[in-house]
Amino acid sequence: GRTWARPIAAWAASETAQTTRDTLQRLLLGRPGDWGTGAIPGDTLLSQTAARGVAGLVDTVRVRHASGGVSTLTFKTYDQGRERWQGETLDLVAFDEEPPLDLYLEGLTRTNATHGRVWLTFTPLLGMSAVVRRFLYEPAPDRIDINMTIHDALHYDAAQRAALIAGYPAHQREARINGAPILGSGRIFPVDEAALAFEAMAFPRHFPALAALDFGWDHPTAAVWARWDRDADTVYVYDAYRVKEATPVIHAAAFRARGAWIPMAWPHDGYQHSKDSGEALAAQYRRQGVNLLPDHAAFPDGSIGVEAGLMELLDRMLTGRFKVARHLADWWEEFRLYHRADGKVVKEYDDLMAATRYLIMSLRFART
C-alpha cells in the first residue's frame, strides 16, 4: 500500500460520534481503556486528546512515524457538516460508511495539495447515489471501485454464508451479499445470483454455440458466448468480453481466438457507416474474419423490441433455463447494476446485458 517517508496528517470519519468511536476508532486504536490493541501499534501511540460530548471518543491521536517525526490522526463525523471539514491540508482521509457527496468532495479537496489518498469503505445501502455513480459510471485514472462479496469472506464456511444470506431482507440482499447498490423495484432482473451461476465446465459437442456482439467505442464493445442444451432448452453463457476504445481489428482478433466458426449475432446499428472508412461496422468485422450472422438480431417475427428481449431473458432466469459462468466478473457486475429509472431502462453500463439480449433473440441460429 501507500507509504510516506515523512509524518502525515490524516482524518478518519463515520456518520456520527458513536459510529466513529465504535468502528474506525476501535479498529485503529482499540476499545476505550484498552488503547494500543488496534491496527496502529501500541508502542507508536504518543498521546491522544478526548473529544467532547461522547464518552470514550478520541479527537486527535499523535503517532510516532518511522522517520522519527510525529503523524496526527483526527476523528471526524459526517453530522458535523461540511463547514467543519474545511481549511485543513491532509495526506489521507478515510470514510467509513457512505458520506454525503459534499463531504466526499471536501475530503478530496483536503488532499489536493499533497496528492494524498482518500478511501471509502461501505455497503451501498443508499442505492445509486451520487457518490456510487461517481465510482461506477464516471471512470477516472485516479479512482477505482474494489468490490468484495460475501463469497470473498473466506472466514465463513458455506453453511455460515447461507445463514447470513437468509438473515437479510430481500431488498437488501444484493447489497449485503455482492456490494451492489440497492435498486429496489428498479432492478430489471430481480433474480438470486445463486440460481443462475454455474461452475466452468466442458460442454457436449452436440450443444450448439452462439455468440453475440454489442458495438461500442467510448462505451465498451461487448460480446458473450454461449452453448445451448436444446433438450432442456437451457442456455449457458460461458465467456464474455468487454473492451472500450479499440478498433474492429483488435476486437475481431479476440473473437476469432474464441472460435472463428461460432456464429455471432449483432444489433441493427451494425449497418451504420464509420466516419473514417465509410464502411458499415458489420462489414468491417466480416472482413476481419468474424462469423457475423447475415442479418441483425431479431425475433422470428422480425421484431427487435427491447422489452420483449428483457422479458424473454427474465422468463428463462426464473424458470432455470439460463445460466452464467460464476467467474465472468464483468457480466455479473453489469447484471447487479442493470435497472430502470422512471420506468425506463437506464442505458449505462449495460453493454454485456445488451449483447446477452441479442444472443437470446437469435438463439435459433446457434450451430454445432
Side-chain angles (χ1 to χ4, degrees), residues 91-288:
D91 300 284
L92 175 66
V93 178
F95 292 99
D96 184 61
E97 301 305 340
E98 182 178 350
L101 180 62
D102 60 344
L103 288 190
Y104 168 62
L105 296 177
E106 281 295 332
L108 285 178
T109 304
R110 303 282 68 80
T111 62
N112 284 347
T114 64
H115 303 290
R117 179 69 53 89
V118 175
W119 78 65
L120 306 87
T121 52
F122 64 89
T123 299
L125 297 177
L126 301 180
M128 194 62 72
S129 65
V131 173
V132 170
R133 289 180 64 87
R134 192 172 179 84
F135 281 86
L136 297 184
Y137 289 159
E138 302 173 21
D142 63 346
R143 185 164 58 239
I144 188 171
D145 164 50
I146 301 174
N147 183 255
M148 179 178 178
T149 76
I150 197 170
H151 302 289
D152 297 311
L154 301 182
H155 53 287
Y156 297 130
D157 61 29
Q160 290 171 321
R161 287 194 193 97
L164 289 170
I165 291 170
Y168 293 128
H171 73 282
Q172 287 192 2
R173 201 159 287 165
E174 283 301 310
R176 296 288 190 182
I177 297 169
N178 297 308
I182 285 182
L183 302 175
S185 61
R187 287 198 69 197
I188 291 176
F189 300 129
V191 181
D192 183 4
E193 291 185 20
L196 303 184
F198 76 92
E199 302 298 334
M201 63 180 182
F203 296 100
R205 290 176 60 87
H206 68 275
F207 281 18
L210 181 68
L213 162 69
D214 184 48
F215 300 108
W217 177 257
D218 51 347
H219 70 87
T221 292
V224 293
W225 287 259
R227 291 290 183 126
W228 180 23
D229 178 356
R230 284 182 287 201
D231 295 330
D233 190 21
T234 300
V235 176
Y236 294 87
V237 175
Y238 64 86
D239 202 356
Y241 171 94
R242 190 177 68 185
V243 174
K244 66 187 301 185
E245 296 181 355
T247 65
V249 173
I250 302 299
H251 299 313
F255 298 166
R256 292 195 307 271
R258 288 164 165 82
W261 63 273
I262 299 175
M264 179 170 271
W266 50 283
H268 60 86
D269 59 1
Y271 294 118
Q272 295 180 3
H273 292 71
S274 63
K275 296 179 181 179
D276 54 346
S277 67
E279 185 179 22
L281 275 171
Q284 293 181 50
Y285 280 87
R286 288 195 182 96
R287 184 160 47 80
Q288 295 299 325

Side-chain angles (χ1 to χ4, degrees), residues 242-362:
R242 190 177 68 185
V243 174
K244 66 187 301 185
E245 296 181 355
T247 65
V249 173
I250 302 299
H251 299 313
F255 298 166
R256 292 195 307 271
R258 288 164 165 82
W261 63 273
I262 299 175
M264 179 170 271
W266 50 283
H268 60 86
D269 59 1
Y271 294 118
Q272 295 180 3
H273 292 71
S274 63
K275 296 179 181 179
D276 54 346
S277 67
E279 185 179 22
L281 275 171
Q284 293 181 50
Y285 280 87
R286 288 195 182 96
R287 184 160 47 80
Q288 295 299 325
V290 179
N291 187 20
L292 293 189
L293 291 172
D295 296 307
H296 67 80
F299 289 107
D301 63 0
S303 64
I304 59 172
V306 172
E307 290 297 335
L310 295 178
M311 291 306 101
E312 171 71 16
L313 255 176
L314 180 58
D315 182 62
R316 283 186 168 275
M317 292 178 183
L318 294 174
T319 55
R321 295 178 296 124
F322 180 81
K323 305 291 182 180
V324 181
R326 191 183 302 278
H327 70 277
L328 300 181
D330 287 345
W331 194 96
W332 289 109
E333 188 176 54
E334 288 194 15
F335 170 81
R336 294 164 188 155
L337 297 175
Y338 201 30
H339 69 289
R340 302 177 191 273
D342 300 323
K344 298 180 180 179
V345 176
V346 175
K347 297 294 293 177
E348 294 178 309
Y349 217 61
D350 66 337
D351 310 284
L352 288 167
M353 295 299 98
T356 304
R357 180 164 50 84
Y358 303 142
L359 183 138
I360 293 301
M361 292 165 64
S362 306

